[in-house]
Amino acid sequence: MRVLSERDFPYSSVKMLASARSAGSEVTFEGETYVVEELTEDSFDGEDIALFSAGGSISKKYGPIAVERGCFVVDNSSAFRMTEGVPLVIPEVNPEAMAHMKVGGKAGIIANPNCSTIIALMAVTPIHRAVGVERMVVSTYQAASGAGALAMKELEQQTREVVNDGECKTMEIFKWQYAFNLFSHNAPMMENGYNEEEMKMVKETRKIWNFNDVNITATCIRVPVMRAHAESINLTLKNPLDEVKAKELLSKAEGVSIIDDRANNRFPTPLDATDNDDVYVGRIRQDISQPGNKGLDLFVCGDQIKKGAALNAVQCAELLLK
Amino acid sequence: MRVLSERDFPYSSVKMLASARSAGSEVTFEGETYVVEELTEDSFDGEDIALFSAGGSISKKYGPIAVERGCFVVDNSSAFRMTEGVPLVIPEVNPEAMAHMKVGGKAGIIANPNCSTIIALMAVTPIHRAVGVERMVVSTYQAASGAGALAMKELEQQTREVVNDGECKTMEIFKWQYAFNLFSHNAPMMENGYNEEEMKMVKETRKIWNFNDVNITATCIRVPVMRAHAESINLTLKNPLDEVKAKELLSKAEGVSIIDDRANNRFPTPLDATDNDDVYVGRIRQDISQPGNKGLDLFVCGDQIKKGAALNAVQCAELLLK
């Protein structure tokens, strides 16, 4: 709702939908008070666009129903991301994937990519378009917010316990201490030893770029930071690119800001990105381990809640109006 | 001193040396009280081994003096690491580099590698010895302890301010907020856009392995963790190695413990390594971005103060007695 407001999203009417449990509560949006309604099959009649953010099972059930009733769905869950025919869209990266969709036309679902994928591709796509990316090695530094509001609260609570009482007592969301610690991402582990978060980066990148030949490996780690993700990204390039040109490309990229001040050792941090729209890029440098200017290193930070989720979804909805 | 005690290091006498400022203070070691003496050129007369940990400039000045007086130096600074003729030693990795050195023989300097290098190579060397490592891409998650005791205190103080008062006020060691944040390592930046910490990993690995053909790129990041470093490591192998064999190799490696429980999503964390001797390895998996079993991913944690510094130095001193 804050992003809709900030971007002055046009609307004639708004509905707030939730489960029966939350129905009846009140929500204020742009000076008006709305009573939250229970989500039913009829909720979408006469609506143009629905922004879904209630988890995969709700999306799976109600997404197709909304479309049947003529309502576009921008879905923030992973339910339809890899479904054929469902565009997976970062508006700055692949708006063409939803060029055939427009409010007034035949409704459909648009999937919002995973936060880590969005944040990485905002920085890497301009380079890919220019010289081709053959391989990516990504290590993430992911914030608590990706695990939900309760995880953020638990991190704060644990931290308070450690600094005030010298001992971490509250361990409800995670089975181990998060305060002053870090751990492999809590997404379910897959057969190949990658977790789902890591495999999302691999599969979603290929779909978004419409390019199956990119090889990706990722190691996703949760760090005791509140709401912006960081990523250390190493690229193997098809054609040479020097760091000066890489910086130039990134400086022209929409939605990307550069913080890359070597003299003052000042590069992006999660706090720079917190509550901001742009993805911040720094440590842009020639990878000395790959000769002939065929490698680049980057360090990227982006707000997980904004560009990693809500902002990207609202931008997709904006594309439906264009 | 704690490590010397824990390992029951043999000695007939001990001297505590420091600057004039600290001279006169008292230190307790194994039940005895020692008065700290001022470091002078004569301090080393009649001593067998000196453990140096007072920064590069003190090492540069007094290291050669100690050797001249017949005293071996195990130096924890970076002063002599890349000096030709000075062995750079991780006892589990390259003890042969100091095979010619023995208390009673001609004195010399032994350099203790950088903490991030030690922790990475404890895990990677068994793999390198078996199949050859051609390239390493490392992203670090480094603890406050690497920046010294005052940095640890500042992280704690800042964190207390944020959770109790909602605002970070103390910024003395670093120019930015460290609590609930992370940032590119504070080591001086070099011409090529890498910082010194990153270049240490590149150069020291080549020297320790006595193998200049390994290509390394590193991105070093400080995270709000107290005293154990973590590292995400991606390897390109000369000959194929599958993850089962990699795990087997690591399970036999001295000083390495494996935490790699995919079913329970349980892998090494900095708190596992804190105050422990071993380097912990997990997320051992075939890198899907490099076909033919020519790639591996690892996640490694090690105590920066122990194996990353004091323990390794004491182990080097032990080798001088063997």
Side-chain angles (χ1 to χ4, degrees), chain B residues 125-134 237-241 249 296:
Chain B
T125 303
I127 294 162
H128 176 58
R129 299 278 186 239
V131 295
V133 168
E134 287 187 340
L237 308 171
K238 188 164 191 293
N239 296 303
L241 181 72
L249 286 169
L296 271 180

Side-chain angles (χ1 to χ4, degrees), chain A:
Chain A
M1 289 190 292
R2 265 185 47 211
V3 171
L4 287 168
S5 235
E6 278 169 25
R7 298 181 69 86
D8 213 4
F9 192 88
Y11 61 94
S12 51
S13 71
V14 178
K15 251 185 202 177
M16 310 289 178
L17 300 170
S19 65
R21 196 165 49 90
S22 302
S25 61
E26 292 189 342
V27 166
T28 304
F29 175 60
E30 302 210 311
E32 299 285 325
T33 301
Y34 295 84
V35 177
V36 174
E37 301 171 40
E38 184 185 349
L39 171 65
T40 70
E41 304 203 351
D42 299 330
S43 298
F44 306 100
D45 289 342
E47 304 298 336
D48 290 321
I49 302 174
L51 299 170
F52 273 54
S53 188
S57 59
I58 299 295
S59 292
K60 262 185 193 141
K61 180 168 176 196
Y62 288 95
I65 291 170
V67 169
E68 227 169 70
R69 307 280 173 123
C71 176
F72 281 91
V73 171
V74 183
D75 183 31
N76 202 34
S77 83
S78 63
F80 297 104
R81 283 182 192 151
M82 297 310 297
T83 304
E84 226 188 287
V86 172
L88 183 65
V89 178
I90 308 170
E92 295 89 343
V93 169
N94 62 332
E96 69 279 2
M98 52 181 289
H100 60 294
M101 293 172 139
K102 193 175 163 34
V103 161
K106 193 177 174 304
I109 297 172
I110 297 108
N112 215 28
N114 178 48
C115 47
S116 307
T117 312
I118 295 176
I119 291 164
L121 295 195
M122 284 295 288
V124 177
T125 304
I127 293 163
H128 176 57
R129 300 276 187 240
V131 294
V133 168
E134 287 187 340
R135 186 168 170 249
M136 274 172 76
V137 179
V138 184
S139 296
T140 69
Y141 304 69
Q142 294 185 236
S145 61
L150 291 176
M152 294 172 79
K153 269 198 186 148
E154 181 157 303
L155 172 58
E156 196 183 331
Q157 176 61 23
Q158 282 192 0
T159 307
R160 191 175 285 120
E161 290 168 1
V162 172
V163 294
N164 292 342
D165 318 324
E167 196 197 345
C168 170
K169 286 170 230 153
T170 310
M171 280 183 256
E172 284 160 18
I173 305 293
F174 299 113
K175 287 175 288 185
W176 40 75
Q177 181 175 328
Y178 190 177
F180 299 107
N181 201 17
L182 52 84
F183 51 88
S184 185
H185 195 283
N186 48 296
M189 187 54 60
M190 311 192 68
E191 276 274 317
N192 64 357
Y194 284 67
N195 61 46
E196 277 187 8
E197 183 80 2
E198 292 158 355
M199 288 309 296
K200 283 174 185 173
M201 296 197 78
V202 176
K203 292 177 190 168
E204 293 181 14
T205 299
R206 288 176 178 164
K207 180 167 176 174
I208 293 166
W209 282 356
N210 189 24
F211 180 60
N212 280 324
D213 290 342
V214 61
N215 287 311
I216 301 175
T217 184
T219 299
C220 289
I221 304 293
R222 241 190 236 297
V223 295
V225 160
M226 281 297 168
R227 62 172 277 180
H229 288 351
E231 303 183 30
S232 167
I233 303 177
N234 178 266
L235 300 176
T236 302
L237 308 171
K238 189 164 190 290
N239 296 303
L241 181 72
D242 70 39
E243 63 185 23
V244 178
K245 281 194 190 124
K247 215 164 164 173
E248 215 178 283
L249 286 169
L250 287 166
S251 70
K252 290 179 195 151
E254 203 193 331
V256 171
S257 286
I258 294 179
I259 304 180
D260 201 22
D261 178 358
R262 292 183 184 175
N264 294 300
N265 226 329
R266 184 69 177 83
F267 303 104
T269 72
L271 286 185
D272 291 317
T274 293
D275 212 12
N276 285 326
D277 288 355
D278 275 10
V279 167
Y280 294 79
V281 190
R283 301 301 317 274
I284 304 162
R285 65 199 191 282
Q286 219 73 51
D287 169 6
I288 55 170
S289 79
Q290 300 186 94
N293 289 1
K294 290 286 197 87
L296 271 180
D297 281 300
L298 305 173
F299 191 67
V300 176
C301 292
D303 189 289
Q304 184 273 325
I305 302 176
K306 282 201 145 178
K307 187 58 191 169
L311 172 62
N312 198 77
V314 171
Q315 287 175 307
C316 286
E318 286 170 351
L319 277 186
L320 287 172
L321 301 176
K322 272 186 191 153

Side-chain angles (χ1 to χ4, degrees), chain B residues 9-15 29 32 34 46-48:
Chain B
F9 193 89
Y11 61 94
S12 51
S13 71
V14 179
K15 251 186 203 176
F29 175 59
E32 299 285 327
Y34 295 84
E47 304 297 335
D48 291 321

